Amino acid sequence: MLRVLAVDDEKPLLEELLYLLRSDPRVLSAEGASDATEALRRITRALESGPEGADGIDVVFLDIHMAGLTGLDIAKLLAGFARPPLIVFVTAHEGFAVQAFDLKAVDYVLKPVRPERLAEAVRRACDQLGRSAVQPPEPADPAGTPRTGAPTGPPGAAALSGPTVPAQRRPAPEVTVADRTADQIAVELGGVTRFVAIADIAYVEAQGDYARLHTDEGSHLVRIPLSTLEERWAARGFVRIHRRHLVALGRIDELRLDAGTTSVRVGSAELQVSRRHARQLRDLLMRQATG
């Protein structure tokens, strides 16, 4: 079972996160810290105690934007220790995913936090630590009321949205992925599900364990590996041009050769083509051009 520290400088969000963590039977204890200084003080005590000590911490659930040191700063400091606690980032900002995974984060959970998404982060932490995987708590019944024996929520939660923990009051995006049909991919933003047509996607960019879908209107970050999208969408004309990029063949406007390097222009974006993919891409474009 996990010993957890949750860090967030917004008290209502910290209480909500602690409530969800304490509701999970895989979590032995969950403490909170409302700023970076308090968090570092508690983590230092844990490091001095050692992983098996009475004050040990297994996982830190860490907000990114805080006054003073950011969550990324704290993670960089912890990376210098031999046996630091695992890090799960819990943030309203999707743009730091690459930096987070470069810092060896176990997971990157977007706010508003959904219980099932947080449960997945707990599972990942258990797997990495080799802890036994106790089943996560039962969800609420269809009426929205927790099942018998479930906690009724953090202090003051009932005044905000009844007996369940509020998850809709913040506009920050949370992203999940599921294919509704073969022609669309569903992207959930702040509790609203949009269906993006695959035909509207010009290229896909790998960002750690995530992928960013680029369309003419903007981009969407989804939690799915680029290799999975490459396999799913190969029949739709998507080709791998680089370890970081998957491109819709029909959306390539120009192929450029310059001093032994190859690149393509897709709308306003210029993307590098790796040597291992350059010849195949040229052949595919030639076949497309000659019909």
Side-chain angles (χ1 to χ4, degrees):
M1 297 178 72
L2 301 179
R3 298 161 298 173
V4 168
L5 176 68
V7 186
D8 199 312
D9 60 356
E10 296 184 62
K11 187 175 179 180
L13 307 189
L14 177 59
E15 289 181 348
E16 178 182 327
L17 181 57
L18 285 170
Y19 163 65
L20 291 174
L21 288 168
R22 289 165 181 163
S23 300
D24 194 312
R26 297 167 295 185
V27 175
L28 177 66
S29 63
E31 302 176 54
S34 58
D35 58 47
T37 301
E38 183 183 355
L40 286 173
R41 187 180 300 119
R42 178 63 186 88
I43 294 169
T44 299
R45 194 164 79 244
L47 292 170
E48 291 173 347
S49 173
E52 306 305 325
D55 291 323
I57 294 173
D58 300 308
V59 191
V60 180
F61 285 78
L62 189 57
D63 188 20
I64 288 183
H65 277 297
M66 297 184 290
L69 290 176
T70 69
L72 293 171
D73 292 330
I74 293 175
K76 288 174 185 175
L77 289 172
L78 293 181
F81 289 88
R83 297 182 66 184
L86 301 179
I87 298 291
V88 173
F89 285 103
V90 183
T91 177
H93 304 276
E94 64 178 37
F96 297 100
V98 174
Q99 292 171 259
F101 287 110
D102 284 345
L103 290 167
K104 310 302 181 186
V106 174
D107 209 343
Y108 191 89
V109 179
L110 290 172
K111 299 177 181 177
V113 177
R114 293 179 294 112
E116 63 272 22
R117 183 64 185 86
L118 189 65
E120 170 62 14
V122 171
R123 183 196 66 76
R124 288 169 180 253
C126 287
D127 286 350
Q128 189 153 329
L129 290 168
R131 304 290 168 83
S132 58
V134 180
Q135 289 300 313
E138 293 184 52
D141 65 23
T145 305
R147 299 190 189 278
T148 304
T152 56
L160 292 170
S161 64
T164 56
V165 177
Q168 300 93 326
R169 66 178 183 273
R170 302 190 302 281
E174 162 72 320
V175 181
T176 60
V177 182
D179 284 338
R180 181 176 71 164
T181 71
D183 299 321
Q184 297 173 314
I185 187 167
V187 182
E188 186 179 318
L189 299 171
V192 177
T193 300
R194 290 187 55 201
F195 292 95
V196 178
I198 295 172
D200 291 340
I201 299 170
Y203 68 96
V204 186
E205 178 183 6
Q207 294 192 347
D209 284 354
Y210 292 74
R212 184 174 293 279
L213 313 177
H214 291 268
T215 69
D216 293 338
E217 287 72 37
S219 67
H220 308 279
L221 190 69
V222 294
R223 190 181 184 90
I224 189 168
L226 192 67
S227 57
T228 300
L229 292 178
E230 179 184 11
E231 183 179 341
R232 286 184 186 178
W233 294 351
R236 295 181 171 275
F238 281 83
V239 295
R240 190 75 167 258
I241 64 167
H242 190 273
R243 63 184 177 84
R244 290 193 59 196
H245 291 116
L246 184 67
V247 176
L249 200 63
R251 299 295 293 270
I252 294 176
D253 298 310
E254 292 180 0
L255 176 69
R256 299 176 179 177
L257 305 175
D258 182 23
T261 64
T262 306
S263 64
V264 293
R265 184 173 63 81
V266 182
S268 60
E270 184 170 349
L271 308 175
Q272 290 299 120
V273 181
S274 67
R275 289 188 177 184
R276 63 177 293 202
H277 294 105
R279 182 167 184 172
Q280 178 191 19
L281 178 64
R282 288 197 298 268
D283 290 346
L284 287 171
L285 289 172
M286 286 297 294
R287 285 203 296 269
Q288 179 178 264
T290 57

